[in-house]
Amino acid sequence: MPKNQCKNNKIKKISPRSLKKEDSIETVRHSLAHIMTGVIQELYPNVKFGIGPAIDNGFYYDFDFSEIKVVNPKSEIRNPKQIQNSNNQNSKQEFKLSPDDLPKIEAKMRELISQNITFIKKDISQTRAKKIFTDQPYKLELIKKINEKSISLYESGNFVDLCAGPHIKSTSEINSKAFKLTKIAGAYWRGDEKNAMLTRIYGLAFETEKELADYLKQQEEAEKRDHRILGQKLDLFLIDPTVGMGLVMWQPKGALLWRIMEDYWYQEHLKNGYELVRTPHIGSRKLWETSGHWGFYNESMYPPLEVGQTLKEVQENKKPNVKEEYLLKPMNCPFHIILYNSRPKSYRDLPIRWAECGTVYRYEKSGELSGLTRVRGFTQDDAHIVCSKNQVKEELKKVALFIASMLKTFGFKEFNVYLSLRDPKNKEKYAGDDEGWKMTQKVLREVAKEMNFNYKEEAGEAAFYGPKLDFKIKDCLGREWQCSTLQFDFNLPQRFDMSFVNEKGQKEKPYVLHRVLFGSFERFIGVLLEHYAGALPLWLSPEQVWILPISSSHKKYAQEIGKRFQASGFRFQVKDENETIGKKIREGEMQKIPYLLIVGDKEIKAKTVAVRQRGKGDLGQMATDKFIDIIKKEIASKK
Amino acid sequence: MPKNQCKNNKIKKISPRSLKKEDSIETVRHSLAHIMTGVIQELYPNVKFGIGPAIDNGFYYDFDFSEIKVVNPKSEIRNPKQIQNSNNQNSKQEFKLSPDDLPKIEAKMRELISQNITFIKKDISQTRAKKIFTDQPYKLELIKKINEKSISLYESGNFVDLCAGPHIKSTSEINSKAFKLTKIAGAYWRGDEKNAMLTRIYGLAFETEKELADYLKQQEEAEKRDHRILGQKLDLFLIDPTVGMGLVMWQPKGALLWRIMEDYWYQEHLKNGYELVRTPHIGSRKLWETSGHWGFYNESMYPPLEVGQTLKEVQENKKPNVKEEYLLKPMNCPFHIILYNSRPKSYRDLPIRWAECGTVYRYEKSGELSGLTRVRGFTQDDAHIVCSKNQVKEELKKVALFIASMLKTFGFKEFNVYLSLRDPKNKEKYAGDDEGWKMTQKVLREVAKEMNFNYKEEAGEAAFYGPKLDFKIKDCLGREWQCSTLQFDFNLPQRFDMSFVNEKGQKEKPYVLHRVLFGSFERFIGVLLEHYAGALPLWLSPEQVWILPISSSHKKYAQEIGKRFQASGFRFQVKDENETIGKKIREGEMQKIPYLLIVGDKEIKAKTVAVRQRGKGDLGQMATDKFIDIIKKEIASKK
């Protein structure tokens, strides 16, 4: 059973930020992309080139192999050069690069690197560039988009690429033991699904062999913790194309985990002075026009539902006689504001703190979807705080504390704070005036400082309606996950003409804070699963204890213990199917059950249970009372 | 404060079923519709007639007044006869009947009735009928639809109507003190919103004056209990046209009531061997085609969401390049079945009982929407039970018992059971073969009998996928509300190719039961509010106690009591605003708070609280401990 690696500190945390000479390794990565492409050109002369930048931890390059044909894809001849002259046109099939081809490409790259090939920059004219890349349609497309007269190329050995650089001087700068080609994936040209699908080859590259080895080890650990695989193994959730990609269905154990989290969340919200509200999943288009979502956010929204036309008309494709249009909600805010506006409010009513676990729908591109962490439907643990100007700082701080305490309870001791600001160069992407942005950004910055957060500022990361503080969780592999956020809104109060009567009897405009603690249940559960490698703490485990009778004569005793557990409110199962005890234990370990209790003749006689704790193994016999006491304490500790 | 009339039995339960001579009163009602129309014809000669049947408790008739003009609607001349000859065309406006006109019409009806007018039936030819109704377009439309050669008319005094009868012989059969015209409403011709909007006049009619008086009193009581008014007064929910009609938003107190109900519901489901699942609100069109909803149920569904086209394309009204179509779910079943099918199942896994409070969307016509009881988005307290053939009867009975116990806990002691069967004349409206329908209807009938339900059979009321037992709650005014239902499904298992491996190792098809206990949270809360006239039992009240300090010097004591209540988990408020105690008490009574505790000098000295119980008034002083004990017991009793 995989132990909780996080506690054991077996994994060294590596992040690209820790590399000393970031700039130089970035240049090495970019140059490796050119070297790889030179090799590909040599092996597959008819290949067309896309682009190939350096990325975090490595590089990639995109290729179009569609003009390369192979006679028989099953034959072992993988080098299409040998096939080019074949006249057997009929049996030609499109060539497809295989992961098995990568070591060969890598070997040829090392060969080139050892030749100390130099990178030479050349500036040439548009006309000359078009001639050089005459049979490279993707490069020609790029050249046309360049507005400057002079175009920059890089030559390395026999390979020439359209490139602004910079590059290393010579391949002697590359540590040829510290790179590795890792995988092949499909990628649309320029990321647009309307364009051709190209073949992308990814590589890793670091300064030292050790860094590469550490990174690979970390990746391996991350794969073990992949929530998509764990979700399947532990039978927590299902994403099925029949229903739709990015739409999560929760199996009983997953739904139970959700309920446990939601119950805790709700109790904490009551303690923190929140009330619940509840709103529908669709609202009229008018509502979203008023809120500004339709104007500023529609690229992320599902298209309108047009009602008023009969379904028969839709089926027959008749021009719809549109009477009403509804939109699936991408956010809960406008509904909460309509509730606020439904009755006059006074300063005595503020601050109002209204929470809702509201399921929202956003249309993400299919290529961006990933398990629970990037979905099309998700449940925000949302709340809106409506308050007066003199309450706003206090409320912001309260939320920041609430976020920190919630994250801690769920096992995330560390998080990074980002102050997300408006992009001053793209003001048209945001609602509201300069003054409002200036003020709200200033207040959020003050809050971050006064809370002693070690925060970073990020321009262009604000919501369209205001600046925000984003809390990115660090999981036990050191990876960052954007979950909690606290947003400051001065726009929606204006757009919906919100008001309250202040102490002087005058109408005043309130501020609205938007906040989520988990972010969404889906993503937070995904991150939890990865953080704990599926071995959730006892208080969160959908199944806390399995009672395993050794043989059928021990079933009765197992069931008696079950009755006591029921009375204590534990989540348990008596596994009394006719399987060997060994098989039951293995199954329990696979399912990451926190406690397995084995009961046989010995335990019946001594009125005990034999306890196996997840990650710690056999704890020996224990009186049932004592076991109940121990796990009651463990559940209450939330550890 | 309105008392809980139900407990006091002040209201006599009246239902149309209790009338002795139902047939004869129905005929009287129908004849009254004719008498009324005769009067209307005399008062407004250019009026066009729609239809006018007897209905429960009375009758109506539809009129088209559009050809009647009045010179000045503000003038007191309401009889358009006097205006007809006026030449002042410009100032003519369309005539609109007012409720003030009803007493006059009623008086003229009584005049006619006292003349012992006879009803004479005549059978005439189509041609002759068309001549008689030459200036009555609605009647002509009806005549054209009659396929028989001979057409039946009824004459009563000067009025002739196209009518199949039967009618009374003479108006001497009418008790002219036992009828009353009640209201005017708009109604589309033939109920189709594409047709003209007509004016409908409603009347009540009974055999005796007392029955009429009792009915009016019951109506008055029903109005006091109207959940739409109560929802507003108690600030529970909001339906706002900016969001969309039929889409309910829950204010904090309403959302809290919901949460209390849902928590109880969840605990009861755990006890009854259910597990939770959780599914999205949209699913691909393919899913709904497989389930049969798209084929059999699409008239109640929202049209498809077409994704793949960009929103810009939608906005510019370009022909969509449809890639995927999603539908808002009208039911949860297909998702639960996909979850079931995601892993192989064995007989050891059955019965599976999966519950979900799932919000579904159905496109009801705007004219059919009503408060919480008829909406477009609602949350079913749904569950699906998947079981083998030999488990099905036992499971059906368990659900029936569960329904009965749940209804009882919520205060509904009585319910009527209906066995809803397929309409044998419209088999094409249902999925599945004759054999399946025969078997499932037989089993449900056996269950109803063995449970000793006094049930009624209703052909044509089954779901498209199978027969069902409907439980209609009787509220304390004797009104019936369809809430709980238990449905037997043999179709979806076939359509989705569900299976399990039975004891013999063979693949077997399971049965699926669909069931809801509340029906929907929205409707059930609506019915609860009407049943209790808003005075919810203590365990359900969003606010259980208000503590009312008499003056500011008593606030501290009130807050101390509050702290003790907090520790006991009561839902309370300390009302310490600077208002008179009288005003606070009135407000508490208006808000139907179960207990109001008044604290002043006397109470502080004696360490007591002065208790006012809702509906019972002043209970005098009481030690705080004693009060806490009393209400703890009351909460636990759920009464």
Side-chain angles (χ1 to χ4, degrees):
Chain A
M1 196 177 71
K3 288 188 184 167
N4 185 335
Q5 298 287 6
C6 190
K7 282 182 185 162
N8 294 336
N9 266 328
K10 280 189 180 158
I11 301 294
K12 199 185 154 191
K13 294 178 194 178
I14 306 159
S15 108
R17 310 281 170 225
S18 70
L19 294 166
K20 284 161 223 158
K21 299 177 194 167
E22 194 173 327
D23 291 344
S24 82
I25 187 66
E26 293 253 321
T27 310
V28 166
R29 285 170 182 155
H30 187 183
S31 301
L32 273 164
H34 281 229
I35 298 293
M36 173 174 78
T37 309
V39 170
I40 296 284
Q41 178 184 244
E42 195 194 326
L43 291 174
Y44 313 100
N46 270 356
V47 71
K48 307 298 171 210
F49 304 121
I51 57 162
I55 53 172
D56 277 359
N57 310 309
F59 57 89
Y60 71 75
Y61 213 106
D62 291 339
F63 304 98
D64 180 348
F65 290 107
S66 63
E67 286 191 21
I68 296 169
K69 306 286 173 199
V70 286
V71 175
N72 177 356
K74 281 184 184 163
S75 93
E76 284 187 12
I77 306 164
R78 303 239 8 130
N79 188 340
K81 251 192 185 175
Q82 302 168 17
I83 307 156
Q84 294 256 317
N85 301 325
S86 160
N87 287 324
N88 190 349
Q89 293 285 343
N90 290 339
S91 67
K92 276 186 186 173
Q93 295 201 10
E94 201 173 300
F95 169 71
K96 205 162 176 276
L97 200 74
S98 136
D100 298 341
D101 297 322
L102 297 182
K104 190 176 56 192
I105 299 167
E106 231 178 63
K108 280 199 172 285
M109 285 170 72
R110 292 210 166 83
E111 220 177 283
L112 277 181
I113 289 166
S114 68
Q115 292 166 20
N116 291 345
I117 287 173
T118 51
F119 278 75
I120 301 154
K121 188 179 179 184
K122 286 185 180 169
D123 290 312
I124 58 168
S125 69
Q126 280 257 2
T127 327
R128 176 107 187 83
K130 280 180 191 164
K131 229 173 240 172
I132 292 173
F133 294 104
T134 183
D135 56 355
Q136 288 293 341
Y138 302 107
K139 296 293 176 193
L140 287 176
E141 197 181 318
L142 295 175
I143 291 166
K144 277 179 202 156
K145 296 219 166 136
I146 298 172
N147 279 331
E148 285 150 41
K149 275 183 189 168
S150 159
I151 284 179
S152 134
L153 303 185
Y154 270 90
E155 263 184 35
S156 50
N158 294 326
F159 178 64
V160 182
D161 204 355
L162 185 73
C163 181
H167 278 284
I168 51 178
K169 281 182 190 153
S170 144
T171 54
S172 63
E173 290 175 39
I174 299 174
N175 177 346
S176 74
K177 285 183 182 166
F179 85 89
K180 185 179 166 59
L181 301 187
T182 50
K183 62 175 178 181
I184 298 166
Y188 292 108
W189 167 239
R190 303 180 70 86
D192 186 337
E193 27 189 288
K194 284 179 197 145
N195 292 338
M197 172 71 91
L198 307 180
T199 302
R200 178 171 293 177
I201 307 178
Y202 283 98
L204 292 171
F206 292 93
E207 287 196 64
T208 66
E209 224 177 317
K210 184 171 179 314
E211 278 173 329
L212 174 62
D214 284 348
Y215 181 82
L216 287 170
K217 199 173 158 196
Q218 190 197 36
Q219 282 300 99
E220 198 187 324
E221 182 60 27
E223 264 166 46
K224 265 195 247 162
R225 291 166 179 271
D226 188 324
H227 74 273
R228 294 165 298 185
I229 296 163
L230 286 168
Q232 173 74 10
K233 259 165 76 177
L234 305 180
D235 204 12
L236 296 174
F237 63 89
L238 178 71
I239 298 171
D240 186 299
T242 320
V243 166
M245 297 319 290
L247 299 171
V248 187
M249 288 174 287
W250 293 86
Q251 299 277 10
K253 276 197 273 179
L256 180 53
L257 169 60
W258 183 307
R259 178 90 198 178
I260 295 161
M261 288 170 60
E262 194 185 327
D263 277 345
Y264 174 72
W265 179 94
Y266 174 56
Q267 291 308 326
E268 288 303 299
H269 277 72
L270 286 188
K271 281 185 206 161
N272 281 274
Y274 286 77
E275 295 175 296
L276 290 188
V277 291
R278 180 177 273 272
T279 65
H281 303 93
I282 57 173
S284 79
R285 175 170 160 164
K286 232 180 340 182
L287 179 73
W288 303 104
E289 282 170 353
T290 306
S291 70
H293 286 88
W294 188 248
F296 290 101
Y297 200 72
N298 68 26
E299 285 303 322
S300 298
M301 289 170 76
Y302 279 80
L305 274 163
E306 294 170 350
V307 295
Q309 58 184 326
T310 67
L311 287 169
K312 214 172 160 193
E313 284 167 341
V314 174
Q315 283 168 315
E316 289 168 3
N317 241 337
K318 279 187 191 163
K319 200 179 177 316
N321 161 31
V322 177
K323 283 178 186 160
E324 294 172 90
E325 284 181 274
Y326 293 92
L327 288 160
L328 269 174
K329 69 173 168 186
M331 297 188 188
N332 302 299
C333 2
F335 296 98
H336 292 196
I337 293 170
I338 296 284
L339 280 173
Y340 177 93
N341 279 352
S342 72
R343 302 196 156 222
K345 295 284 187 294
S346 116
Y347 69 95
R348 283 186 301 262
D349 298 318
L350 305 189
I352 273 171
R353 304 186 194 93
W354 282 350
E356 176 176 20
C357 294
T359 306
V360 298
Y361 290 87
R362 299 183 188 169
Y363 190 64
E364 304 285 350
K365 282 185 187 162
S366 57
E368 289 171 2
L369 299 174
S370 172
L372 296 177
T373 48
R374 199 75 185 240
V375 289
R376 286 183 176 161
F378 55 97
T379 302
Q380 293 184 313
D381 65 319
D382 208 359
H384 292 95
I385 296 164
V386 187
C387 60
S388 65
K389 195 170 180 171
N390 58 8
Q391 293 170 327
V392 82
K393 214 163 173 180
E394 188 58 27
E395 289 301 316
L396 284 165
K397 286 181 180 175
K398 274 188 190 165
V399 174
L401 282 173
F402 197 6
I403 288 174
S405 110
M406 194 63 112
L407 294 182
K408 202 177 153 199
T409 307
F410 281 88
F412 301 105
K413 311 285 184 249
E414 283 183 73
F415 53 82
N416 292 326
V417 180
Y418 295 84
L419 173 58
S420 297
L421 306 170
R422 181 171 68 156
D423 179 357
K425 287 176 201 150
N426 281 302
K427 289 183 181 177
E428 74 288 354
K429 280 170 61 193
Y430 304 86
D433 57 15
D434 284 358
E435 199 192 344
W437 279 94
K438 207 174 148 189
M439 190 283 281
T440 52
Q441 294 188 160
K442 180 173 160 279
V443 172
L444 266 189
R445 192 178 283 116
E446 285 167 11
V447 167
K449 277 184 185 155
E450 289 167 26
M451 301 284 295
N452 288 318
F453 289 144
N454 182 16
Y455 68 98
K456 273 186 200 151
E457 301 203 357
E458 294 191 320
E461 292 295 318
F464 77 79
Y465 44 74
K468 56 191 178 121
L469 282 178
D470 290 321
F471 295 74
K472 296 189 186 171
I473 295 173
K474 267 174 101 170
D475 75 7
C476 73
L477 295 188
R479 296 170 303 181
E480 269 194 342
W481 300 94
Q482 158 80 66
C483 289
S484 323
T485 177
L486 164 54
Q487 311 182 346
F488 196 162
D489 186 350
F490 62 103
N491 277 300
L492 290 184
Q494 261 166 10
R495 289 175 169 266
F496 281 97
D497 195 22
M498 293 169 78
S499 70
F500 66 96
V501 175
N502 66 18
E503 289 89 334
K504 293 173 195 156
Q506 296 157 334
K507 252 179 129 183
E508 194 175 316
K509 208 159 278 309
Y511 286 92
V512 170
L513 309 180
H514 311 245
R515 47 112 283 194
V516 285
L517 308 184
F518 296 149
S520 81
F521 277 80
E522 285 80 359
R523 164 171 279 222
F524 200 77
I525 291 175
V527 175
L528 266 182
L529 289 174
E530 303 227 348
H531 183 59
Y532 287 110
L536 294 172
L538 190 62
W539 77 282
L540 284 174
S541 287
E543 294 183 300
Q544 298 173 317
V545 190
W546 276 8
I547 310 169
L548 312 178
I550 293 173
S551 77
S552 61
S553 63
H554 312 119
K555 278 184 194 178
K556 210 186 129 203
Y557 182 66
Q559 275 148 4
E560 279 165 19
I561 294 170
K563 271 184 203 159
R564 301 195 51 194
F565 285 2
Q566 185 123 41
S568 294
F570 300 153
R571 299 182 291 271
F572 70 97
Q573 266 199 70
V574 176
K575 301 295 281 183
D576 58 3
E577 51 266 37
N578 290 328
E579 299 285 0
T580 66
I581 188 71
K583 200 174 167 195
K584 288 182 195 176
I585 292 174
R586 274 194 304 281
E587 177 62 17
E589 286 175 343
M590 284 271 293
Q591 289 296 313
K592 303 186 190 277
I593 308 302
Y595 288 99
L596 302 176
L597 304 187
I598 296 119
V599 294
D601 291 336
K602 244 193 329 186
E603 287 76 19
I604 293 175
K605 206 174 162 193
K607 297 193 176 174
T608 57
V609 288
V611 181
R612 285 181 74 95
Q613 188 179 0
R614 183 184 61 195
K616 292 196 176 157
D618 199 350
L619 302 188
Q621 280 195 46
M622 200 180 283
T624 313
D625 280 344
K626 193 179 164 194
F627 176 76
I628 290 176
D629 274 359
I630 287 175
I631 74 163
K632 270 191 178 168
K633 275 181 199 141
E634 188 179 340
I635 291 168
S637 77
K638 298 205 164 46
K639 274 176 187 162
Chain B
M1 196 176 75
K3 290 187 183 169
N4 186 333
Q5 299 287 6
C6 191
K7 280 182 188 163
N8 295 336
N9 268 326
K10 280 190 184 159
I11 300 294
K12 201 187 153 192
K13 293 178 191 176
I14 305 160
S15 108
R17 311 279 170 225
S18 70
L19 294 167
K20 282 160 224 161
K21 299 177 195 167
E22 193 171 328
D23 291 343
S24 82
I25 188 67
E26 294 254 319
T27 311
V28 167
R29 284 169 183 156
H30 188 183
S31 301
L32 273 163
H34 281 230
I35 297 294
M36 173 174 77
T37 309
V39 170
I40 296 285
Q41 179 183 243
E42 195 195 324
L43 291 174
Y44 313 99
N46 269 358
V47 71
K48 308 297 169 206
F49 304 121
I51 56 162
I55 54 172
D56 278 0
N57 310 309
F59 57 90
Y60 71 75
Y61 213 108
D62 291 341
F63 304 98
D64 181 346
F65 289 107
S66 62
E67 287 192 20
I68 296 169
K69 306 285 174 201
V70 285
V71 176
N72 179 359
K74 281 182 185 165
S75 93
E76 283 186 15
I77 307 163
R78 301 235 14 125
N79 188 341
K81 253 192 183 176
Q82 302 168 15
I83 307 154
Q84 293 255 321
N85 300 325
S86 159
N87 286 324
N88 190 348
Q89 293 285 342
N90 290 339
S91 67
K92 277 188 186 173
Q93 294 202 14
E94 202 172 299
F95 169 72
K96 209 164 173 268
L97 200 74
S98 133
D100 299 341
D101 298 321
L102 296 182
K104 191 177 54 190
I105 299 167
E106 230 177 63
K108 281 199 170 282
M109 285 171 72
R110 291 210 168 84
E111 219 177 287
L112 277 181
I113 289 166
S114 68
Q115 291 166 20
N116 292 346
I117 286 172
T118 51
F119 279 75
I120 300 154
K121 187 182 180 186
K122 286 186 180 169
D123 291 311
I124 58 167
S125 68
Q126 281 257 2
T127 327
R128 175 103 189 86
K130 280 180 190 164
K131 228 172 242 171
I132 291 174
F133 294 103
T134 184
D135 56 352
Q136 289 293 340
Y138 303 106
K139 296 293 175 189
L140 287 176
E141 198 180 320
L142 295 175
I143 290 168
K144 277 179 203 155
K145 295 216 168 135
I146 298 172
N147 279 329
E148 286 150 41
K149 276 183 188 166
S150 161
I151 285 179
S152 134
L153 304 183
Y154 270 89
E155 264 184 36
S156 48
N158 294 328
F159 177 64
V160 182
D161 204 356
L162 186 74
C163 180
H167 278 283
I168 52 177
K169 281 184 190 154
S170 144
T171 54
S172 63
E173 290 175 40
I174 299 175
N175 178 347
S176 73
K177 286 184 180 164
F179 85 89
K180 184 180 166 64
L181 301 187
T182 50
K183 63 174 177 179
I184 299 165
Y188 292 109
W189 168 239
R190 302 179 71 87
D192 186 337
E193 30 187 287
K194 284 178 196 146
N195 292 338
M197 172 70 91
L198 307 181
T199 303
R200 177 171 294 177
I201 307 178
Y202 282 97
L204 293 171
F206 292 92
E207 286 194 64
T208 67
E209 222 178 317
K210 184 171 182 312
E211 279 173 329
L212 175 61
D214 284 348
Y215 182 82
L216 286 169
K217 199 173 161 194
Q218 190 198 35
Q219 283 300 98
E220 198 187 325
E221 182 60 24
E223 263 165 45
K224 264 194 246 162
R225 292 167 177 269
D226 187 324
H227 73 274
R228 293 164 300 184
I229 297 163
L230 286 168
Q232 173 74 10
K233 258 165 78 174
L234 305 179
D235 203 13
L236 297 174
F237 63 89
L238 177 71
I239 298 171
D240 186 301
T242 320
V243 166
M245 297 318 290
L247 300 172
V248 187
M249 288 176 287
W250 293 86
Q251 298 276 10
K253 274 197 274 177
L256 180 52
L257 169 60
W258 184 307
R259 179 89 197 178
I260 296 161
M261 288 170 61
E262 193 184 329
D263 276 346
Y264 174 72
W265 179 94
Y266 174 55
Q267 292 309 326
E268 288 302 298
H269 277 73
L270 287 187
K271 281 185 206 161
N272 280 275
Y274 287 77
E275 297 176 295
L276 289 187
V277 291
R278 182 178 271 273
T279 64
H281 302 94
I282 56 172
S284 80
R285 176 169 160 164
K286 232 182 337 184
L287 179 73
W288 303 104
E289 282 171 351
T290 306
S291 70
H293 286 87
W294 188 247
F296 289 100
Y297 199 72
N298 68 26
E299 284 303 322
S300 298
M301 290 171 76
Y302 279 80
L305 275 162
E306 294 170 349
V307 296
Q309 56 184 327
T310 67
L311 287 170
K312 214 172 160 193
E313 283 167 341
V314 174
Q315 283 169 314
E316 288 168 2
N317 241 339
K318 279 186 192 166
K319 199 179 177 315
N321 162 30
V322 176
K323 281 177 187 161
E324 293 172 90
E325 284 181 273
Y326 292 93
L327 288 159
L328 270 175
K329 68 174 168 186
M331 298 190 188
N332 302 298
C333 1
F335 297 98
H336 293 195
I337 293 171
I338 296 284
L339 280 173
Y340 177 93
N341 279 352
S342 71
R343 303 195 156 224
K345 295 285 186 297
S346 116
Y347 68 96
R348 283 186 300 263
D349 298 318
L350 304 189
I352 273 171
R353 303 186 194 94
W354 283 349
E356 175 176 21
C357 293
T359 306
V360 298
Y361 291 87
R362 298 184 188 168
Y363 189 63
E364 304 285 351
K365 284 185 186 160
S366 57
E368 289 171 2
L369 299 175
S370 171
L372 296 176
T373 49
R374 197 77 185 242
V375 289
R376 285 184 176 161
F378 56 97
T379 302
Q380 294 184 311
D381 66 318
D382 207 358
H384 291 94
I385 296 163
V386 188
C387 61
S388 65
K389 194 170 182 172
N390 58 8
Q391 292 170 328
V392 83
K393 213 163 171 181
E394 188 60 27
E395 289 300 317
L396 284 165
K397 286 181 181 176
K398 274 187 189 164
V399 173
L401 282 173
F402 198 3
I403 288 174
S405 108
M406 193 64 112
L407 295 182
K408 203 179 152 195
T409 306
F410 281 88
F412 301 105
K413 311 286 185 247
E414 281 183 75
F415 53 82
N416 292 327
V417 181
Y418 296 84
L419 174 58
S420 298
L421 306 170
R422 181 172 66 157
D423 179 356
K425 288 175 202 151
N426 281 303
K427 289 182 181 177
E428 74 288 353
K429 281 170 61 193
Y430 305 87
D433 57 16
D434 285 356
E435 199 192 345
W437 279 93
K438 207 174 148 188
M439 191 284 282
T440 51
Q441 295 188 160
K442 182 173 157 279
V443 172
L444 267 189
R445 191 178 285 118
E446 284 168 10
V447 167
K449 277 183 185 157
E450 289 167 27
M451 300 286 293
N452 289 318
F453 289 145
N454 182 16
Y455 68 98
K456 275 188 199 150
E457 302 204 355
E458 293 192 319
E461 293 294 317
F464 77 79
Y465 44 72
K468 56 190 178 118
L469 281 179
D470 290 322
F471 294 74
K472 295 190 187 169
I473 294 175
K474 268 175 98 169
D475 75 6
C476 75
L477 296 188
R479 295 169 303 180
E480 270 194 342
W481 300 93
Q482 158 80 65
C483 290
S484 323
T485 175
L486 165 54
Q487 312 183 344
F488 196 162
D489 186 351
F490 62 102
N491 277 301
L492 290 184
Q494 262 167 9
R495 289 174 169 267
F496 282 97
D497 195 20
M498 294 170 78
S499 70
F500 66 97
V501 175
N502 65 18
E503 288 89 334
K504 293 173 194 155
Q506 296 156 336
K507 252 178 130 181
E508 195 176 314
K509 206 157 279 309
Y511 285 92
V512 170
L513 309 181
H514 311 243
R515 49 111 281 193
V516 285
L517 308 185
F518 297 150
S520 80
F521 277 80
E522 285 79 359
R523 164 172 280 225
F524 200 77
I525 291 175
V527 175
L528 267 180
L529 289 173
E530 303 227 346
H531 183 57
Y532 286 110
L536 294 172
L538 190 62
W539 77 283
L540 284 174
S541 287
E543 293 184 300
Q544 298 172 317
V545 190
W546 276 7
I547 310 170
L548 313 178
I550 292 173
S551 76
S552 61
S553 63
H554 312 118
K555 279 186 194 178
K556 208 184 133 206
Y557 181 67
Q559 275 149 1
E560 279 164 20
I561 293 170
K563 270 183 203 157
R564 301 196 51 195
F565 286 1
Q566 185 124 42
S568 295
F570 300 154
R571 299 183 292 270
F572 69 97
Q573 266 199 71
V574 176
K575 301 296 281 184
D576 57 4
E577 50 267 36
N578 291 328
E579 300 285 359
T580 66
I581 189 71
K583 199 173 170 199
K584 288 181 195 175
I585 292 173
R586 273 194 304 281
E587 176 63 15
E589 286 175 345
M590 284 273 290
Q591 288 297 311
K592 300 182 191 280
I593 307 301
Y595 288 98
L596 302 176
L597 304 187
I598 296 117
V599 294
D601 290 336
K602 244 193 329 189
E603 288 75 19
I604 292 175
K605 204 174 168 194
K607 297 195 176 173
T608 57
V609 288
V611 182
R612 286 180 73 95
Q613 187 177 0
R614 184 184 60 197
K616 292 194 178 159
D618 198 350
L619 303 188
Q621 280 194 49
M622 202 181 283
T624 312
D625 280 345
K626 194 180 163 195
F627 176 76
I628 290 176
D629 274 358
I630 286 174
I631 74 163
K632 270 191 179 166
K633 275 181 201 142
E634 189 179 340
I635 291 167
S637 77
K638 299 203 163 50
K639 272 176 189 163

